[in-house]
Amino acid sequence: MEDLIGSFEKKDNVSLGKMLKEVENQTPLSLEILKLSSFRKGKAHIIGVTGPPGSGKSTLVGKMCKKLATMDLRIGVVCVDPTSPFTKGALLGDRIRMQELAKLPNVFIKSLATRGNLGGLASSTADIVQVLDAYEMDVILIETVGVGQIEFDVLGVADTVLLVSVPGLGDTLQTLKAGIMEIADIYVINQADRPGADESVKDLNLMVKESGKREWSPPIHKTVATQDSGIDELIHDITAHKKYLERSGLWKEKRQTRNVTRLYSMIESLLAQRVEDHINREESLKAKVQDVMKGERDPYTTSHEIVDRLIAKHNSYQYGG
Amino acid sequence: MQIKVVMAKLGLDIHWRGALVVSRMLRDEGMEVVYLGNQFPEQIVDAAIQEGADVIGLSTLGGNHLTLGPKVVQIAKEKGVDALVIMGGVIPEDDIPLLKEAGISEVFGPETRIESIASFIRSEVNQSIA
Amino acid sequence: MANNTTNQEKKLFDHEVVQEIEAQKKRWQENTLKGKDGEGQYYSDSGIPINLLYTPDDIKDVDYLKDIGFSGEAPYVRGVYPNMYRGRLFTVRQIAGFGTPEDTNERFKFLLKNGATGTSVVLDLPTIRGYDSDDPEAEGHVGAAGVAIDSIEDIEALYDGIPIEEVSSNIVTHLPSTTVVVMAMFAAHAEKKGIPLEKLSGTNQNDFLMETAIGSSLEVLPPKASFRLQCDAIEYASKNMPRWNPVSYNGYNLREAGTTAVQEVACAIANAIGTSEELIRRGNKIDDFAKRLSFFWNLFNDFFEEIAKCRASRLVWHEVMKDRFNAQHPKSHLMRFHVQTAGITLTKVEPLNNIARSAIQGLAAVLGGAQSLHVDSYDEAYSAPTEESALISIRTQQIIQAETNVVNTVDPLAGSYFVEKLTQDMAQRIRDYIAEIESKGGLVAAVESGWLHREISDFAYQMQKDIEDGKHKIVGLNYFPTEQSQTKVEVFRYPETAESRQKEKLEKLRKKRDKEKVERALAVLRQKCHEDVNLMPYIKEAVLEYATLGEIEEVFREEFGLWQFPLA
Ligand SMILES: Nc1nc2c(ncn2[C@@H]2O[C@H](COP(=O)(O)OP(=O)(O)O)[C@@H](O)[C@H]2O)c(=O)[nH]1
Ligand SMILES: [Mg+2]
């Protein structure tokens, strides 16, 4: 414990790496780490980068980091790749696009596998980000899996969301049309060296307009990540978005919402765990579950019975009756 | 527990085939493999630190194994990383004892079955946890 | 390709005869064979279905004069020279390269004395990757897997006492960026010695795929830039060094990295097509340079497929040059290639078995009509060859040349129903794959997008799986696995002092040269990088002022930028 507190003060990469490993694997120690980091977090600007695979997210993140690193900022990067549902293994290949960062002391990269989580992030992502934040990273970039669909998990974690796509939008356009305009704070048409970039920008522009007037109107950027082009402008707007968040009070609001969401999700998972334990301990409840399984009882009545029973038991225990 | 491997081509070495094929097959064996491409010892160790790697896999064909391999182990020690360091590639038999002495846990020739690399990793990693 | 031509006379076999054979074949299958044609399906290594028995009906559409022809004539299926090996035996090439140029120079002399008919040198990794021996990135690699070249002085030392106007010099430069520098050094060295450039014969490898699709590195030039340098070297040689092969389209390393024989040839030809289009855009005529384009194949153990590949590649090349580019000069139509036996097929277990593998592969090369040959040494799975193992490789080639009599007649397998059918099949698959590459926007685009990397990676992955599952058999490994624990092989040791000796020379050089002149030459080169001109003359100027390879390539890196290739 002492060691851990010490390492938050020292901020050396080796201890950070060890802590993140605990958190990633959700070990018993990770709870302590999260408790500690909970009060230290809140300063980092958390940027989510989402978009279809191959659109250039990793390359773009790499170039943004390189630029941010020259601005004397401490940067954390979290890259998420899919876990194979068959083998439970994963090939995490985003770092290969970020080789230029390897020699920069102020960049820390962590690759995560989804381990079965479906919303585009690993279930430990928020925790990992929290620890990085507590380690006084100024900026934290999260690259989502990019399985082709818009990934909503990132909305709950990031302050600023970038949606990266390529000329000839295709799929992205379809999802956007489905009315999910709100997802992105900044749109990026990467690979603008390929034909059709200007048309894509035009199309996007139209959609942003159609989606009605908002306080923050999402800018649209053209980039060629491989050639380092358009990165400065992109970073400029990311900074502008941060300022907007602060000005509008959203910065604080998002953090407060996240805290509460976190609380409720913790409660939920704790409750779920308790209920499960409770069922496993009581033969009569187990039997009921069996009946539901066979279709002899309905899950609606039974769920109420089980939860009521748990609470009743809890009360009687509390009040000695 | 999930085993995490950081896999790198050592230094200037060319030919990515071996390291990538091994990476893909270790994934098939249920491991999480962070593929780094070509890196030098210092950066490989840094990546292992950041990723919380249980294993550092080094691949080499370029005849740099005796200079750069031990360097990885040495830097890892200096920085306090306790990952298992293994090596694969075309490595003369006589050099294997030297590499092991320098702290490389195992050396796998080009004809090793990936299965046996995986089971070596599993038994070593589980031992060090126990 | 032979197809619906109505003129039956031109077919190999009379229509009625074919019909009779087909009928008899049915009968034979039913009465004699009775379905006992083996378990499951048989395929060649690149996936072509293989029949139990081939008969004339399998090649009934072949028009001999049009599709096969005579040696030294279109479509060159039977070989590029009329008298083939009777006129000129294939060149025995053994690669050498380790330590300092002085060390390799000694090995050259040893090999030439023992019957090698040309020199062939590999460079160490720092040189290939464009770093000087004193660059921090080079540490541990100097002189290790090849010879270190830093400046024109090293080229002088490398070829000291070797009559480069007489014996041909193969320089395995791999990447275009290395090629342009080393080739400039070689040319400048010859001129300094008073040897006219027209007299130089030899080959550079020079393939942008090596830089961008096969090799890996922290830093490579983008495909377009690498391709441009590749073309610069070719254009320069076609104008100034008429006997020099400025490119050897490297199917070899593609194959080692992970492709089929079909992909190997198709990629190389697609690269040559791209080159031709670019040089024509620059105002060259196809016949000015096409005859200098050469190829480099890798021969695996699938004996007949490899022979068919050699024949089919000449056929497709002829079509490309004649039909697509309308080349007029016969020399533009013929494909010359070098063969190296497949290093990747050699095993570490029971290494002496590799002598048998290499001999079989080498024989296939000769039956396929190769112009020059390198037989891998049996210890290559361990280290660079020792003097002893290199000698066995030379001897293997000499045995093929002098004892087997296979060189006495041209293309001896022609007319085999099987080989002719396989040749036609290979050719069609090569054409199809070239078309697929072109549907991706051509080879440069196929590399930029990562398509080619995925093809290679998927193949390599599948191959490893097949080996582990025993589907792909390797003797001593998964087929009759060895019982020997370890064979003792005497490994070749790189001279350990190479790095320090090389650094010492470099330090002296940096002191004694005229710094200002070096800088001026590099500044000019830097500027020319952004113009639509050939860079070779400017590189030559720089090497003459003793600019180092690392310095010149740094200019490329700065001006063209770096590219990370789309892996994983
Ligand atoms: N032509 C072009 N290619 C790019 C650009 N950005 C990335 N790429 C390439 O696109 C491929 C996929 O990039 P990557 O960053 O891995 O995409 P991700 O899957 O979204 O993370 C790689 O080959 C990159 O080199 C760009 O701006 N232009
Ligand atoms: Mg990515």
Side-chain angles (χ1 to χ4, degrees):
Chain A
M1 279 295 284
E2 298 297 299
D3 284 6
L4 282 177
I5 298 171
S7 62
F8 272 108
E9 304 300 332
K10 275 196 313 211
K11 297 191 191 37
D12 69 309
N13 281 356
V14 176
S15 333
L16 176 57
K18 284 185 177 150
M19 285 202 279
L20 293 182
K21 184 175 183 172
E22 300 290 333
V23 173
E24 179 183 14
N25 290 323
Q26 300 178 342
T27 62
L29 190 59
S30 69
L31 206 60
E32 301 306 317
I33 294 168
L34 291 173
K35 278 185 202 165
L36 274 172
S37 54
S38 175
F39 295 111
R40 294 167 184 269
K41 67 168 202 291
K43 291 190 210 80
H45 183 196
I46 302 164
I47 302 162
V49 181
T50 184
S55 53
K57 296 182 295 298
S58 303
T59 316
L60 198 66
V61 166
K63 298 295 177 183
M64 291 189 328
C65 278
K66 205 173 92 182
K67 176 72 189 167
L68 291 165
T70 63
M71 297 158 68
D72 217 22
L73 298 170
R74 283 163 52 85
I75 305 145
V77 180
V78 181
C79 306
V80 189
D81 278 309
T83 292
S84 153
F86 305 109
T87 66
K88 306 283 179 255
L91 186 59
L92 312 172
D94 297 310
R95 277 191 101 106
I96 194 165
R97 303 260 169 275
M98 305 178 188
Q99 290 190 338
E100 288 173 289
L101 307 179
K103 288 183 182 166
L104 302 177
N106 48 344
V107 179
F108 190 107
I109 307 172
K110 176 84 179 168
S111 312
L112 297 176
T114 52
R115 299 191 182 173
N117 199 45
L118 290 177
L121 295 179
S123 58
S124 63
T125 312
D127 295 341
I128 297 277
V129 167
Q130 173 176 319
V131 177
L132 286 169
D133 190 350
Y135 241 68
E136 291 181 13
M137 298 292 171
D138 299 299
V139 180
I140 298 167
L141 290 142
I142 307 169
E143 179 188 339
T144 72
V145 172
V147 279
Q149 322 244 306
I150 300 291
E151 296 160 324
F152 289 100
D153 277 8
V154 72
L155 296 175
V157 188
D159 303 315
T160 302
V161 174
L162 268 60
L163 177 59
V164 183
S165 50
V166 294
L169 298 161
D171 290 351
T172 320
L173 214 59
Q174 288 311 316
T175 15
L176 291 177
K177 277 195 173 139
I180 333 175
M181 237 6 242
E182 298 77 43
I183 177 148
D185 302 302
I186 296 173
Y187 291 92
V188 181
I189 305 285
N190 187 41
Q191 313 205 2
D193 52 333
R194 290 185 11 198
D198 289 329
E199 287 88 321
S200 295
V201 170
K202 237 188 255 158
D203 289 350
L204 260 179
N205 248 322
L206 212 68
M207 292 197 153
V208 172
K209 283 215 187 88
E210 276 173 8
S211 78
K213 211 153 173 60
R214 280 186 285 160
E215 230 183 299
W216 170 264
S217 168
I220 299 158
H221 282 275
K222 272 196 306 185
T223 57
V224 184
T226 40
Q227 292 165 25
D228 241 331
S229 129
I231 309 297
D232 289 356
E233 295 82 346
L234 181 57
I235 289 193
H236 177 269
D237 271 357
I238 291 173
T239 319
H241 187 247
K242 183 185 179 191
K243 289 205 184 107
Y244 155 75
L245 290 175
E246 287 169 341
R247 205 172 48 236
S248 63
L250 277 170
W251 180 269
K252 199 163 159 202
E253 201 178 298
K254 279 196 182 215
R255 275 160 183 66
Q256 290 176 345
T257 313
R258 256 180 243 150
N259 286 341
V260 176
T261 312
R262 191 88 191 115
L263 173 66
Y264 278 107
S265 82
M266 287 307 293
I267 292 175
E268 256 170 52
S269 64
L270 275 176
L271 272 181
Q273 190 57 48
R274 291 262 172 102
V275 171
E276 204 182 319
D277 292 349
H278 174 61
I279 294 171
N280 284 337
R281 270 200 309 270
E282 279 201 32
E283 287 305 322
S284 64
L285 294 185
K286 260 199 211 164
K288 281 186 180 172
V289 175
Q290 289 292 319
D291 292 346
V292 171
M293 192 169 82
K294 289 182 218 143
E296 290 165 6
R297 251 172 209 282
D298 79 283
Y300 314 98
T301 322
T302 318
S303 54
H304 275 91
E305 282 173 13
I306 292 177
V307 173
D308 288 348
R309 182 74 183 273
L310 176 68
I311 291 172
K313 215 177 158 192
H314 186 74
N315 285 344
S316 66
Y317 165 77
Q318 283 252 309
Y319 305 117
Chain B
M1 197 193 73
Q2 266 292 355
I3 293 177
K4 208 164 182 185
V5 182
V6 158
M7 182 73 70
K9 300 279 311 168
L10 205 45
L12 288 175
D13 203 359
I14 48 174
H15 300 120
W16 46 264
R17 163 191 169 134
L20 193 67
V21 169
V22 173
S23 298
R24 284 173 78 165
M25 295 195 74
L26 288 179
R27 174 200 58 194
D28 295 350
E29 290 284 337
M31 301 183 187
E32 292 178 352
V33 186
V34 183
Y35 185 71
L36 298 185
N38 286 61
Q39 286 296 354
F40 285 90
E42 178 107 31
Q43 285 75 45
I44 294 171
V45 174
D46 284 346
I49 290 170
Q50 296 173 4
E51 299 292 357
D54 304 294
V55 183
I56 298 176
L58 304 173
S59 158
T60 169
L61 290 172
N64 56 9
H65 53 280
L66 280 183
T67 42
L68 297 188
K71 214 166 177 179
V72 172
V73 179
Q74 185 203 331
I75 297 174
K77 256 195 209 127
E78 281 166 17
K79 297 201 174 183
V81 184
D82 49 9
L84 184 75
V85 182
I86 59 176
M87 199 180 225
V90 181
I91 290 153
E93 225 54 57
D94 296 357
D95 292 349
I96 295 177
L98 298 176
L99 290 169
K100 288 196 172 170
E101 216 169 279
I104 309 265
S105 299
E106 193 51 270
V107 178
F108 298 99
E111 281 143 22
T112 320
R113 291 173 66 85
I114 310 294
E115 252 171 41
S116 60
I117 301 180
S119 60
F120 175 83
I121 291 176
R122 269 189 219 106
S123 80
E124 290 290 312
V125 170
N126 292 337
Q127 232 170 45
S128 76
I129 289 170
Chain C
M1 238 328 250
N3 35 35
N4 324 315
T5 150
T6 44
N7 193 345
Q8 290 296 337
E9 280 76 33
K10 286 201 170 165
K11 297 296 166 61
L12 269 178
F13 308 100
D14 187 81
H15 182 62
E16 273 155 35
V17 173
V18 171
Q19 276 187 329
E20 174 67 15
I21 291 171
E22 277 171 346
Q24 291 287 341
K25 199 169 185 174
K26 262 217 184 87
R27 177 201 53 76
W28 168 79
Q29 276 167 341
E30 278 157 23
N31 299 349
T32 308
L33 181 63
K34 296 181 189 146
K36 290 194 208 114
D37 52 357
E39 297 278 307
Q41 272 279 15
Y42 289 73
Y43 293 97
S44 75
D45 275 355
S46 49
I48 296 176
I50 300 296
N51 298 342
L52 174 73
L53 182 82
Y54 288 85
T55 47
D57 62 309
D58 287 302
I59 50 170
K60 63 180 177 203
D61 288 329
V62 171
D63 174 335
Y64 183 82
L65 292 176
K66 195 163 141 281
D67 300 327
I68 302 175
F70 297 97
S71 48
E73 283 184 5
Y76 299 99
V77 171
R78 305 209 56 183
V80 292
Y81 303 122
N83 55 4
M84 284 305 290
Y85 300 130
R86 284 200 195 186
R88 189 195 308 166
L89 283 170
F90 56 89
T91 309
V92 176
R93 276 200 200 291
Q94 281 309 125
I95 293 189
F98 56 88
T100 63
E102 291 80 2
D103 298 328
T104 297
N105 179 265
E106 260 176 60
R107 179 65 74 89
F108 275 177
K109 288 175 177 159
F110 169 83
L111 292 169
L112 287 171
K113 203 175 76 200
N114 284 287
T117 47
T119 65
S120 185
V121 63
V122 278
L123 310 173
D124 68 2
L125 279 171
T127 308
I128 291 173
R129 300 250 74 112
Y131 297 103
D132 288 334
S133 297
D134 57 358
D135 195 298
E137 311 263 300
E139 191 194 335
H141 293 286
V142 177
V147 64
I149 301 291
D150 295 319
S151 75
I152 188 170
E153 284 190 344
D154 292 328
I155 290 289
E156 286 162 6
L158 183 63
Y159 293 100
D160 182 50
I162 310 239
I164 54 171
E165 65 278 25
E166 286 162 25
V167 297
S168 72
S169 314
N170 183 35
I171 309 178
V172 187
T173 40
H174 290 301
L175 319 186
S177 49
T178 323
T179 305
V180 287
V181 179
V182 174
M183 196 172 142
M185 287 178 180
F186 191 81
H189 160 61
E191 281 180 340
K192 276 175 85 176
K193 277 183 72 174
I195 302 168
L197 295 186
E198 308 78 272
K199 285 210 155 165
L200 299 177
S201 72
T203 305
N204 278 126
Q205 199 165 78
N206 189 27
D207 188 323
F208 88 101
L209 291 179
M210 275 305 282
E211 187 145 13
T212 57
I214 302 163
S216 68
S217 169
L218 302 169
E219 311 186 310
V220 293
L221 298 184
K224 277 199 188 81
S226 185
F227 178 72
R228 176 219 176 152
L229 294 177
Q230 174 187 305
C231 293
D232 280 359
I234 296 169
E235 189 183 29
Y236 178 85
S238 78
K239 289 182 173 158
N240 303 287
M241 302 160 77
R243 297 180 60 212
W244 192 264
N245 302 310
V247 61
S248 179
Y249 290 106
N250 189 346
Y252 186 89
N253 282 288
L254 264 175
R255 190 81 185 282
E256 293 274 300
T259 65
T260 63
V262 169
Q263 292 168 315
E264 169 194 1
V265 172
C267 287
I269 293 183
N271 192 358
I273 291 174
T275 307
S276 302
E277 285 167 351
E278 167 64 11
L279 291 195
I280 290 167
R281 182 197 67 80
R282 295 183 186 185
N284 299 278
K285 297 221 163 51
I286 186 81
D287 287 304
D288 294 343
F289 60 84
K291 60 180 176 295
R292 302 279 19 125
L293 307 178
S294 69
F295 294 80
F296 179 18
W297 301 148
N298 192 337
L299 264 55
F300 277 50
N301 288 323
D302 190 336
F303 193 67
F304 288 106
E305 173 168 283
E306 295 297 352
I307 294 166
K309 171 182 86 182
C310 293
R311 303 174 86 237
S313 63
R314 283 192 294 265
L315 176 65
V316 175
W317 180 244
H318 168 257
E319 285 164 11
V320 165
M321 280 296 126
K322 186 170 148 285
D323 302 338
R324 190 191 282 234
F325 289 104
N326 196 19
Q328 300 298 320
H329 200 294
K331 277 200 171 158
S332 304
H333 296 170
L334 53 90
M335 167 188 275
R336 293 163 304 128
F337 57 84
H338 171 67
V339 167
Q340 181 172 336
T341 60
I344 197 128
T345 63
L346 303 186
T347 61
K348 251 186 119 169
V349 297
E350 300 182 359
L352 294 179
N353 297 348
N354 294 332
I355 298 177
R357 291 191 178 94
S358 301
I360 292 169
Q361 295 164 5
L363 180 62
V366 177
L367 295 174
Q371 274 55 66
S372 60
L373 179 60
H374 167 106
V375 167
D376 277 343
S377 297
Y378 72 85
D379 52 0
E380 236 146 278
Y382 287 86
S383 67
T386 58
E387 221 160 71
E388 184 223 7
S389 67
L391 189 59
I392 293 178
S393 296
I394 292 192
R395 295 300 185 228
T396 305
Q397 301 185 58
Q398 290 165 339
I399 290 167
I400 297 173
Q401 286 186 339
E403 299 183 12
T404 63
N405 284 352
V406 297
V407 294
N408 292 352
T409 186
V410 166
D411 188 25
L413 289 175
S416 147
Y417 310 123
F418 174 42
V419 171
E420 294 299 358
K421 170 75 168 114
L422 201 53
T423 302
Q424 298 297 331
D425 284 354
M426 289 295 280
Q428 193 49 45
R429 283 173 189 238
I430 291 167
R431 291 183 198 107
D432 292 346
Y433 201 73
I434 292 173
E436 193 173 347
I437 291 169
E438 300 199 315
S439 77
K440 309 286 170 206
L443 195 60
V444 175
V447 170
E448 278 176 336
S449 70
W451 178 80
L452 188 60
H453 302 80
R454 266 189 307 283
E455 293 273 296
I456 295 171
S457 167
D458 290 347
F459 178 91
Y461 172 71
Q462 192 56 47
M463 179 56 91
Q464 180 67 27
K465 277 193 143 166
D466 288 350
I467 292 171
E468 304 217 342
D469 299 346
K471 259 192 245 158
H472 185 91
K473 293 191 188 67
I474 299 175
V475 173
L477 198 67
N478 63 10
Y479 188 71
F480 293 101
T482 186
E483 311 214 319
Q484 296 171 13
S485 52
Q486 271 305 335
T487 320
K488 207 64 189 145
V489 169
E490 187 209 331
V491 301
F492 177 75
R493 289 287 164 189
Y494 308 111
E496 273 176 23
T497 55
E499 184 161 340
S500 58
R501 280 185 287 149
Q502 200 61 16
K503 277 181 171 171
E504 221 169 90
K505 285 197 309 186
L506 203 49
E507 202 188 326
K508 269 192 208 143
L509 177 88
R510 289 199 206 278
K511 272 193 199 130
K512 79 170 187 217
R513 62 185 186 175
D514 186 335
K515 223 171 147 210
E516 229 165 74
K517 281 188 177 164
V518 176
E519 276 174 8
R520 215 172 309 133
L522 290 176
V524 173
L525 177 62
R526 189 178 296 279
Q527 184 205 328
K528 297 292 173 189
C529 285
H530 302 285
E531 294 174 19
D532 190 9
V533 295
N534 193 313
L535 293 178
M536 281 299 292
Y538 307 100
I539 299 166
K540 208 160 124 232
E541 284 308 310
V543 303
L544 279 167
E545 297 300 348
Y546 299 96
T548 64
L549 174 124
E551 289 162 348
I552 294 171
E553 298 217 25
E554 191 58 28
V555 171
F556 297 155
R557 287 190 279 267
E558 284 168 11
E559 301 312 307
F560 295 131
L562 296 170
W563 184 71
Q564 283 163 11
F565 59 88
L567 254 192

